[in-house]
Structure formats: C-alpha cells, structure tokens
Amino acid sequence: MRRLPTNEPVWDVTFDAQGALTTPAAGDFLDEVTAEGVQDLFVFSHGWGTAEQSARELYDAMFPLIREAVSGVAGLGTVGFAGVYWPSLWFPPTPATPPAAAASPQAGDGAVVDLSAGTAAVSGADIAASLVKGFADPAQQQTVTELGRQIDEGVAAVGSGETDAAKEQRLVSIHQLIRSLVPPPAPDGAFEDSGERALLQDADPKTAYQAAAEAFGSAPPGSSTQGIGDWFRHAVNGAKDALRVLSYSIMKARAGDIGRTGLGPLLAALHGRSPGLRVHLIGHSFGARLVSFALAGVGTPADSPVTSLLLIQGAFSHWSFAHAQDNPFGSAGALNAFADRVHGPLVSTFSVHDWAVGVWYPKASFLARQDSEADVAGRWDGMGADGYQAVAPAEDRVMPADGGADYGFVPGAFYRVNAAAVINDVDGEPFSGAHSDIRKPPVAALAAAAAAAHG
C-alpha cells in the first residue's frame, strides 16, 4: 500500500493473464482496506499498454483529481483507491492518417476506407517486440518473435522472382502462427465482441490479408478485387494489420477473464469482510471491459459492493449490456444479466475525437460484416463511439468543458455521456486521437457524480 500526498491509501492490485492475483496477497489487501476504514473505494483499470510505469502515471494523475472532486460530496465517506495492473498488449505507434475533421463519420459501414492506420510503415520485428512483452508463456513469446521474422522475410520477398505459390505458402505459415495465438471463444457467449475472429480464423489468408490491408488503409481501396498493384505486397502488409487485430482480440478476451475470475471474486470477498464498503469501478479502453466483466464474477447482487460503474472510452462492444430487443445479434448481450450488480448508475463516455474506438476499432471485425446478419449499422462498434446501446432505462448527458455539471444520476439507470468537449486533444496521436485524453478534472468530476448517486 502507498498513499497520496493527502494521505489517502492506494493499493496496486496486479493480476496475471489468467486472472490470478499476484500482488498483494488477497488476505493482506482485505485486511488493509478494513484497517484503513475505507468507505468508498475507487477501483480503476488501465487499458492497452503493458508498461507498469504508464499505468502508474495514469493512476497518479487521476486519483488526486478524483480525491479533489469527491471532497465534500454528500453521501461519500473515507476514500481509498486501487489501481488494477494487468498484462495488456501494446502495438507500436504507427503514422496513421487522421480523419479529415472531428465530425467524420465513424468507421464501420464498410471495409473500403480512404484512411490509413499506417501499419505498413512498421516492421514485423517492431510489432513483435511490442507484443511479446504481453505474454508470459515462453512458447507464445517465441511464436510472436517468429511472426515478426516471417513477416519481415515476406516484405523482403516483395518484387522478387519468388513464385506465387511460394508467396502463398509464406502467408499460410504466418496465418498458422497467428491462429495458434487466438484466444478460445468466450465462455460467456459474447458474440457481440468477437467479430475479429472472422479474420483471424479465415481459411484463405491470401484473400483475407489483402482485404485487411484495404480495411486498414495499407492497400488502395478495391485493390484486392481489381488486381491493382502487387497482390503479395498488399497481403504481407495485411498480415501486419492482422497482428493488430490479434492484439485487440487477445486484450478483449484477457480483460474479460481477469475481470470475471480475478477482480470480481476479490470484490465479493471484500464485501464479505466489509459489508458497508462501497466500490466504484472505473475502466479506460480495454480496462472498461475488465471492470464490466467483474460484475459477472462478483456473485449475486447481494454479494456485490459495486455502487457505480464508469466506462471511459470503452474499447468493447456497445451491445454488451443490451437487451435482446433492438439488438442486431438477436439475443441479450453478455453482460445484460449482470447490470443489477451495480447498485447505482452505469455511466459511459464517448467522443467523436476518439479515433481508436470510433474509427479503427470496428475495422477489426470487417470480415464479419460479409455474413447475412451483419448489415446492421453499428453492429461491431465500441462503447467509446456512442455509449451503451439497447439498454433501459437509458439517458443522454453532455460533459461540459469546465466539468461543472449536475448530471442528475440515479441508481439503476444507464447514462451515455458525450465527452467531446473534454476528451478532444488529438495532437500527436494520429492513430488513437483523443482516446487517452482523459487525465482531466471534468472526467474526475464525472467519477465523483457517479459515486455520489450510489444506491
């Protein structure tokens, strides 16, 4: 345990990829929270990126802001904080082409785009060096390294005298390695969050990788069907895009597993030890999925200490809490049955300036749009693009630039908060835009407002 300068306790809670708590020991955590007399515990999970230091910097920025925002708020007591650390993956920065304007339509209406994620500019070795840090298994680390090597060898073979058959075999070998890393289907049946599996498990990598290159702008639109340029150049660059999609898939699956099997049971145990303690869950990006799936592992509503849920630019399906009505999947979302584990408001932010979720995230599922059920707009969009969908009761709110809002939150309701006036700094982030522009007082004020509306 460490402390803020203002003396509030902060716990660094670390899980491995399977959801096992590695530090601190569960008993020590429960004892310390109880001994500190914490009445309102804010639990925050970071999103993509494996570096512990970057996650700590996020928490060191946000926890004091939240502490200041909740100071004097009626209905809240002694405050504590817990930062969740988990092994997410990090794709290297790429020189993406940003949208022309903030009001550009969010991607997801088709595979052909005139933007580029810039994936072709990075080497396979660079991609592997970033991704390998997110794997603890030496065999998987070796596979990731081998993927980087084979992709770079493929790039070197572009324009060579190598036969098409030999080039196709290169793609098959790369695809087999990628498929060996694909996580198994989610046991919760989260079909709404698994569209990228269509690319990762496609039986024809030659065609699929060219289509991926088009979707992410690594190849000219229509090139795979019109035969424009060197098909292998497009396909091997599409293999790099497929690795980006693999990182999305692994992060989503891992976040769900850690939330369900790790954080959820820990929160239930905390409730058993301190029944009066209130937990306020906050998650950013893929961390929003982690804290959401903790609701599936916390037990019954009576076992849950969770009194508010705040998803900041969530990188998972906006249908996850949906009821079957108005849901393009025809059934309730994977988390629909667990919303009652939150004894307060369920809040999600969205921003048109978040290109990571609003523009590029849906591209990971572009092949799945080719099936007969995929013609519904927004089928594969993320939470950070427009918030909860097909939920009730649901209301819309706007985050003012100064953060001085009376949101009027009430327990049991879903709130979509348009944060474009605050989460809007895209400078230096051509791929992700304002996705991580969250270290701001209005965001902390939103967390305080959600916590204050506990049941």
Side-chain angles (χ1 to χ4, degrees), residues 69-101:
V70 303
S71 180
V73 172
L76 298 180
T78 302
V79 173
F81 299 91
V84 175
Y85 295 81
W86 60 286
S88 59
L89 305 185
W90 180 252
F91 202 86
T94 54
T97 303

Short mmCIF file of all heavy atoms in Angstrom, two decimals, residues 69-101:
data_model
loop_
_atom_site.label_atom_id
_atom_site.label_comp_id
_atom_site.label_asym_id
_atom_site.label_seq_id
_atom_site.Cartn_x
_atom_site.Cartn_y
_atom_site.Cartn_z
N ALA A 69 -12.26 15.92 -6.45
CA ALA A 69 -13.65 16.03 -6.93
C ALA A 69 -14.65 15.52 -5.90
O ALA A 69 -15.77 16.04 -5.81
CB ALA A 69 -13.81 15.26 -8.24
N VAL A 70 -14.29 14.50 -5.12
CA VAL A 70 -15.23 13.93 -4.15
C VAL A 70 -15.18 14.64 -2.81
O VAL A 70 -16.02 14.39 -1.94
CB VAL A 70 -14.97 12.42 -3.93
CG1 VAL A 70 -15.07 11.66 -5.24
CG2 VAL A 70 -13.62 12.18 -3.28
N SER A 71 -14.20 15.52 -2.62
CA SER A 71 -14.06 16.21 -1.35
C SER A 71 -15.33 17.00 -1.04
O SER A 71 -15.74 17.87 -1.80
CB SER A 71 -12.86 17.14 -1.39
OG SER A 71 -12.71 17.82 -0.17
N GLY A 72 -15.94 16.66 0.06
CA GLY A 72 -17.14 17.37 0.48
C GLY A 72 -18.42 16.92 -0.18
O GLY A 72 -19.48 17.47 0.11
N VAL A 73 -18.35 15.92 -1.06
CA VAL A 73 -19.56 15.44 -1.72
C VAL A 73 -20.43 14.68 -0.71
O VAL A 73 -19.94 13.78 -0.01
CB VAL A 73 -19.20 14.52 -2.90
CG1 VAL A 73 -20.45 13.85 -3.48
CG2 VAL A 73 -18.51 15.33 -3.99
N ALA A 74 -21.67 15.03 -0.65
CA ALA A 74 -22.59 14.38 0.29
C ALA A 74 -22.76 12.91 -0.04
O ALA A 74 -22.84 12.52 -1.20
CB ALA A 74 -23.95 15.09 0.25
N GLY A 75 -22.80 12.10 1.00
CA GLY A 75 -23.05 10.68 0.83
C GLY A 75 -21.81 9.84 0.64
O GLY A 75 -21.91 8.61 0.54
N LEU A 76 -20.64 10.45 0.57
CA LEU A 76 -19.39 9.71 0.44
C LEU A 76 -18.57 9.86 1.72
O LEU A 76 -18.57 10.92 2.35
CB LEU A 76 -18.59 10.19 -0.77
CG LEU A 76 -19.27 10.03 -2.13
CD1 LEU A 76 -18.36 10.56 -3.24
CD2 LEU A 76 -19.64 8.58 -2.39
N GLY A 77 -17.86 8.79 2.07
CA GLY A 77 -17.09 8.80 3.30
C GLY A 77 -15.60 8.74 3.05
O GLY A 77 -15.08 9.30 2.09
N THR A 78 -14.91 8.01 3.90
CA THR A 78 -13.46 7.87 3.80
C THR A 78 -13.11 7.18 2.48
O THR A 78 -13.64 6.11 2.16
CB THR A 78 -12.91 7.05 4.97
OG1 THR A 78 -13.27 7.70 6.20
CG2 THR A 78 -11.40 6.92 4.88
N VAL A 79 -12.21 7.80 1.72
CA VAL A 79 -11.92 7.37 0.35
C VAL A 79 -10.61 6.61 0.28
O VAL A 79 -9.63 6.95 0.96
CB VAL A 79 -11.88 8.60 -0.58
CG1 VAL A 79 -11.42 8.21 -1.98
CG2 VAL A 79 -13.25 9.25 -0.66
N GLY A 80 -10.58 5.59 -0.55
CA GLY A 80 -9.37 4.86 -0.88
C GLY A 80 -9.36 4.56 -2.37
O GLY A 80 -10.38 4.71 -3.05
N PHE A 81 -8.20 4.15 -2.87
CA PHE A 81 -8.05 3.91 -4.31
C PHE A 81 -7.30 2.60 -4.55
O PHE A 81 -6.41 2.23 -3.80
CB PHE A 81 -7.27 5.05 -4.96
CG PHE A 81 -7.95 6.39 -4.83
CD1 PHE A 81 -7.65 7.22 -3.75
CD2 PHE A 81 -8.87 6.81 -5.76
CE1 PHE A 81 -8.26 8.45 -3.61
CE2 PHE A 81 -9.50 8.04 -5.63
CZ PHE A 81 -9.19 8.87 -4.55
N ALA A 82 -7.69 1.93 -5.63
CA ALA A 82 -6.97 0.73 -6.07
C ALA A 82 -6.76 0.82 -7.56
O ALA A 82 -7.70 1.03 -8.33
CB ALA A 82 -7.76 -0.53 -5.72
N GLY A 83 -5.50 0.70 -7.98
CA GLY A 83 -5.17 0.68 -9.40
C GLY A 83 -4.93 -0.75 -9.84
O GLY A 83 -4.13 -1.47 -9.24
N VAL A 84 -5.65 -1.18 -10.87
CA VAL A 84 -5.51 -2.54 -11.39
C VAL A 84 -4.42 -2.57 -12.45
O VAL A 84 -4.41 -1.75 -13.37
CB VAL A 84 -6.84 -3.04 -11.98
CG1 VAL A 84 -6.67 -4.42 -12.62
CG2 VAL A 84 -7.92 -3.07 -10.91
N TYR A 85 -3.51 -3.53 -12.31
CA TYR A 85 -2.45 -3.74 -13.30
C TYR A 85 -2.66 -5.11 -13.94
O TYR A 85 -2.82 -6.10 -13.23
CB TYR A 85 -1.07 -3.67 -12.63
CG TYR A 85 -0.73 -2.31 -12.07
CD1 TYR A 85 -1.24 -1.91 -10.82
CD2 TYR A 85 0.08 -1.43 -12.76
CE1 TYR A 85 -0.93 -0.66 -10.29
CE2 TYR A 85 0.40 -0.17 -12.24
CZ TYR A 85 -0.12 0.21 -11.01
OH TYR A 85 0.18 1.43 -10.49
N TRP A 86 -2.64 -5.14 -15.26
CA TRP A 86 -2.84 -6.42 -15.96
C TRP A 86 -2.04 -6.40 -17.25
O TRP A 86 -1.76 -5.34 -17.81
CB TRP A 86 -4.32 -6.67 -16.22
CG TRP A 86 -5.02 -5.64 -17.07
CD1 TRP A 86 -5.41 -4.38 -16.71
CD2 TRP A 86 -5.45 -5.81 -18.43
NE1 TRP A 86 -6.04 -3.75 -17.75
CE2 TRP A 86 -6.08 -4.59 -18.81
CE3 TRP A 86 -5.38 -6.84 -19.35
CZ2 TRP A 86 -6.63 -4.41 -20.10
CZ3 TRP A 86 -5.92 -6.67 -20.62
CH2 TRP A 86 -6.53 -5.46 -20.98
N PRO A 87 -1.65 -7.57 -17.75
CA PRO A 87 -0.77 -7.64 -18.92
C PRO A 87 -1.53 -7.48 -20.24
O PRO A 87 -1.84 -8.44 -20.94
CB PRO A 87 -0.14 -9.02 -18.81
CG PRO A 87 -1.17 -9.85 -18.11
CD PRO A 87 -1.86 -8.91 -17.14
N SER A 88 -1.83 -6.24 -20.58
CA SER A 88 -2.43 -5.96 -21.88
C SER A 88 -1.31 -5.87 -22.92
O SER A 88 -0.13 -5.91 -22.58
CB SER A 88 -3.24 -4.67 -21.83
OG SER A 88 -2.44 -3.58 -21.46
N LEU A 89 -1.67 -5.75 -24.17
CA LEU A 89 -0.68 -5.71 -25.25
C LEU A 89 -0.55 -4.30 -25.79
O LEU A 89 -1.47 -3.49 -25.72
CB LEU A 89 -1.10 -6.65 -26.39
CG LEU A 89 -1.37 -8.11 -26.04
CD1 LEU A 89 -1.65 -8.90 -27.31
CD2 LEU A 89 -0.22 -8.73 -25.30
N TRP A 90 0.61 -4.03 -26.37
CA TRP A 90 0.85 -2.70 -26.93
C TRP A 90 1.36 -2.84 -28.35
O TRP A 90 2.38 -3.48 -28.61
CB TRP A 90 1.88 -1.95 -26.10
CG TRP A 90 2.17 -0.57 -26.64
CD1 TRP A 90 3.31 -0.17 -27.27
CD2 TRP A 90 1.30 0.55 -26.62
NE1 TRP A 90 3.20 1.15 -27.63
CE2 TRP A 90 1.98 1.62 -27.25
CE3 TRP A 90 0.01 0.77 -26.13
CZ2 TRP A 90 1.41 2.89 -27.40
CZ3 TRP A 90 -0.55 2.03 -26.28
CH2 TRP A 90 0.14 3.07 -26.90
N PHE A 91 0.62 -2.26 -29.30
CA PHE A 91 1.05 -2.24 -30.69
C PHE A 91 1.89 -0.98 -30.89
O PHE A 91 1.56 0.08 -30.36
CB PHE A 91 -0.17 -2.20 -31.61
CG PHE A 91 0.08 -2.69 -33.00
CD1 PHE A 91 -0.01 -4.04 -33.30
CD2 PHE A 91 0.42 -1.81 -34.02
CE1 PHE A 91 0.22 -4.50 -34.58
CE2 PHE A 91 0.65 -2.25 -35.30
CZ PHE A 91 0.55 -3.60 -35.59
N PRO A 92 3.00 -1.07 -31.64
CA PRO A 92 3.86 0.11 -31.78
C PRO A 92 3.14 1.27 -32.46
O PRO A 92 2.23 1.06 -33.26
CB PRO A 92 5.03 -0.40 -32.62
CG PRO A 92 4.49 -1.59 -33.35
CD PRO A 92 3.50 -2.22 -32.42
N PRO A 93 3.51 2.50 -32.16
CA PRO A 93 2.90 3.65 -32.81
C PRO A 93 3.07 3.58 -34.32
O PRO A 93 4.11 3.16 -34.82
CB PRO A 93 3.68 4.83 -32.22
CG PRO A 93 4.24 4.33 -30.94
CD PRO A 93 4.54 2.89 -31.16
N THR A 94 2.04 3.99 -35.03
CA THR A 94 2.08 3.97 -36.49
C THR A 94 1.67 5.34 -37.04
O THR A 94 0.85 6.03 -36.44
CB THR A 94 1.13 2.90 -37.05
OG1 THR A 94 -0.19 3.11 -36.52
CG2 THR A 94 1.60 1.50 -36.66
N PRO A 95 2.23 5.74 -38.18
CA PRO A 95 1.93 7.05 -38.76
C PRO A 95 0.58 7.05 -39.48
O PRO A 95 0.51 7.10 -40.71
CB PRO A 95 3.10 7.27 -39.73
CG PRO A 95 3.48 5.89 -40.16
CD PRO A 95 3.28 5.02 -38.95
N ALA A 96 -0.47 6.99 -38.71
CA ALA A 96 -1.81 6.90 -39.29
C ALA A 96 -2.22 8.21 -39.94
O ALA A 96 -1.69 9.29 -39.62
CB ALA A 96 -2.82 6.52 -38.20
N THR A 97 -3.17 8.11 -40.85
CA THR A 97 -3.81 9.28 -41.44
C THR A 97 -5.02 9.62 -40.59
O THR A 97 -5.97 8.85 -40.53
CB THR A 97 -4.27 9.01 -42.88
OG1 THR A 97 -3.15 8.58 -43.65
CG2 THR A 97 -4.88 10.26 -43.48
N PRO A 98 -5.03 10.76 -39.91
CA PRO A 98 -6.18 11.09 -39.06
C PRO A 98 -7.38 11.47 -39.90
O PRO A 98 -7.25 11.86 -41.07
CB PRO A 98 -5.67 12.29 -38.25
CG PRO A 98 -4.64 12.92 -39.11
CD PRO A 98 -3.98 11.79 -39.85
N PRO A 99 -8.58 11.33 -39.34
CA PRO A 99 -9.78 11.77 -40.06
C PRO A 99 -9.68 13.24 -40.45
O PRO A 99 -9.00 14.03 -39.79
CB PRO A 99 -10.90 11.53 -39.05
CG PRO A 99 -10.38 10.48 -38.15
CD PRO A 99 -8.90 10.75 -38.04
N ALA A 100 -10.37 13.60 -41.51
CA ALA A 100 -10.26 14.96 -42.03
C ALA A 100 -10.83 15.99 -41.07
O ALA A 100 -10.39 17.13 -41.04
CB ALA A 100 -10.97 15.06 -43.38
N ALA A 101 -11.83 15.59 -40.29
CA ALA A 101 -12.49 16.53 -39.38
C ALA A 101 -13.05 15.76 -38.21
O ALA A 101 -13.29 14.56 -38.29
CB ALA A 101 -13.60 17.30 -40.08
#
